[in-house]
Amino acid sequence: MAEITNEMILQAIKELAEQLKNHAEETNQRFEQTNHQLTEINERLSQVEQKIVQMDKQLTDVANGQKILVEELFENKKELKRVKNVLNIY
């Protein structure tokens, strides 16, 4: 009877060890998938960050261009006013 009990215990230990091994393999696969997904997400975030930097530069260029146009418009208006004043004198 003791031999049967020992055999049953040994079989249960083997089954548990196999289950643990399978569980560890499954967990590792899930970890690898998650790690791969995180890598892809990081790459996408990096691309988005680069696009944001590029857009920021473009917006700065547009703002600088608008500033130059406003300054030129102001100068043109001053010149027109000066010409009108000169023409009104004569």
Side-chain angles (χ1 to χ4, degrees):
M1 180 111 171
E3 289 180 18
I4 294 174
T5 304
N6 286 341
E7 276 185 40
M8 291 173 63
I9 292 172
L10 185 59
Q11 184 61 33
I13 290 172
K14 286 180 182 178
E15 288 176 11
L16 287 173
E18 186 64 27
Q19 288 177 7
L20 184 59
K21 179 184 168 193
N22 291 340
H23 180 70
E25 288 173 357
E26 187 178 304
T27 301
N28 285 340
Q29 287 175 349
R30 288 178 184 175
F31 175 77
E32 287 173 9
Q33 287 175 345
T34 303
N35 195 29
H36 180 71
Q37 289 172 342
L38 286 174
T39 300
E40 288 179 348
I41 289 170
N42 283 337
E43 289 172 1
R44 290 179 188 161
L45 285 175
S46 179
Q47 291 172 355
V48 169
E49 183 181 17
Q50 290 173 1
K51 287 180 182 179
I52 289 172
V53 167
Q54 183 181 9
M55 289 172 63
D56 185 53
K57 183 185 179 309
Q58 290 171 343
L59 286 173
T60 300
D61 291 346
V62 168
N64 289 338
Q66 286 178 335
K67 181 180 175 188
I68 290 169
L69 289 174
V70 167
E71 290 171 354
E72 288 181 7
L73 179 63
F74 180 72
E75 290 299 319
N76 287 344
K77 284 186 175 184
K78 282 183 9 185
E79 184 65 17
L80 280 172
K81 187 174 182 180
R82 187 187 68 75
V83 169
K84 283 182 181 178
N85 286 338
V86 168
L87 290 175
N88 283 338
I89 292 175
Y90 297 105

